[in-house]
Amino acid sequence: MMYVVSVVAFIGWCMLRWLIGHPSVSRFVYPRGCLYHIPGALSSSQKNAWNNHALCLIHGVVATLGSLHAILRTLPNFNWSIEQTLLHSSTHINDWPLAQPWIEISIGYFLYDTLINIIDRPNTNPTDYVHHTLCIVAYALSLWFQWGWFLAIFFLTNEFSTPAFHLGWYLSQDPKTPIRRQQVMDVLFVASFFAVRVGFNLFVLKMCWLLATVKEYHPSPEIIPSYAFWAQMY
């Protein structure tokens, strides 16, 4: 049952991608007068790129809000002791339902984005496939073992910088965009990237290292998610 939601989410992301690309819906998604609505201004592949960025932005918002909700609901009773929190699979098991839906939705998204890379973006950098594969494997194993939810949900906070990146991309597509507005969005992206994907991830990397090296605290099969998350850091 745990993977059914991921499959449904995958289908949902595919349907949402189709809906955003439909003329009757895209006119509500993109501002009136932008290049997307000017006949002949964008090729079919360029419109696909606009729609793909829209899906990435939506996932970034959903993953960020969901992960923050799970973390903030848990923090008041969270025990940061290494023995009690980082290594025991039974610790905070009651908090798993807070994290599981967002992990399942993200698995569906990464499956969708992998499919789009194969269909729409044949020249995709191989590292993107490696990244998506590691994400899917790590999240799926966490679901299977219902273990290490705090690692999975902490990694979802990495999406905090995603909206600024894609909004900046949209601004860069319009030659009429004021340079100051573009610069502000670039600063927001860089600041959020370093705050979460560098600063916060150093803390998460320490947890991954502990989980991957101190083996006597948990069954050996359950160590796999921590290795997958750790590999994702690189």
Side-chain angles (χ1 to χ4, degrees):
M1 179 63 185
M2 65 182 68
Y3 295 116
V4 172
V5 177
S6 295
V7 173
V8 172
F10 165 72
I11 296 173
W13 286 112
C14 292
M15 292 181 63
L16 184 59
R17 165 66 177 76
W18 177 81
L19 282 173
I20 289 178
H22 196 278
S24 61
V25 177
S26 62
R27 62 193 180 97
F28 297 106
V29 175
Y30 302 112
R32 184 179 302 176
C34 73
L35 292 177
Y36 195 93
H37 298 304
I38 299 176
L42 298 176
S43 65
S44 177
S45 61
Q46 288 174 320
K47 286 190 173 184
N48 286 339
W50 277 58
N51 296 330
N52 290 334
H53 277 275
L55 263 290
C56 292
L57 193 155
I58 293 171
H59 173 255
V61 172
V62 170
T64 298
L65 295 179
S67 58
L68 288 177
H69 172 263
I71 291 172
L72 293 176
R73 284 284 301 274
T74 305
L75 280 180
N77 301 314
F78 204 83
N79 184 343
W80 293 97
S81 164
I82 297 299
E83 291 79 7
Q84 295 299 316
T85 298
L86 303 185
L87 302 175
H88 287 182
S89 60
S90 60
T91 302
H92 302 296
I93 193 65
N94 292 332
D95 294 321
W96 179 263
L98 292 172
Q100 184 168 340
W102 311 111
I103 296 171
E104 292 168 331
I105 289 171
S106 290
I107 289 177
Y109 169 76
F110 286 118
L111 289 171
Y112 150 80
D113 203 46
T114 300
L115 177 63
I116 289 298
N117 283 340
I118 295 172
I119 296 175
D120 282 351
R121 302 188 288 249
N123 297 323
T124 297
N125 192 314
T127 58
D128 288 345
Y129 290 109
V130 174
H131 169 268
H132 283 27
T133 300
L134 286 173
C135 288
I136 293 169
V137 169
Y139 291 140
L141 288 173
S142 289
L143 286 179
W144 179 263
F145 293 119
Q146 294 207 354
W147 175 87
W149 71 268
F150 38 87
L151 283 179
I153 210 68
F154 281 175
F155 266 101
L156 273 186
T157 62
N158 284 351
E159 298 296 337
F160 181 71
S161 62
T162 299
F165 172 80
H166 292 288
L167 287 174
W169 182 89
Y170 282 119
L171 291 176
S172 70
Q173 301 303 299
D174 187 353
K176 298 180 181 179
T177 299
I179 187 65
R180 181 62 60 86
R181 187 179 300 176
Q182 180 70 58
Q183 290 173 339
V184 169
M185 193 58 63
D186 290 343
V187 169
L188 288 175
F189 167 68
V190 171
S192 60
F193 183 94
F194 275 91
V196 178
R197 295 183 182 248
V198 177
F200 190 59
N201 273 0
L202 288 176
F203 169 73
V204 179
L205 179 58
K206 179 181 178 181
M207 293 200 300
C208 290
W209 172 257
L210 290 169
L211 288 164
T213 55
V214 187
K215 300 181 181 181
E216 62 268 23
Y217 289 101
H218 48 76
S220 56
E222 297 182 355
I223 202 172
I224 300 175
S226 65
Y227 278 122
F229 282 122
W230 192 24
Q232 188 190 159
M233 293 289 292
Y234 294 94

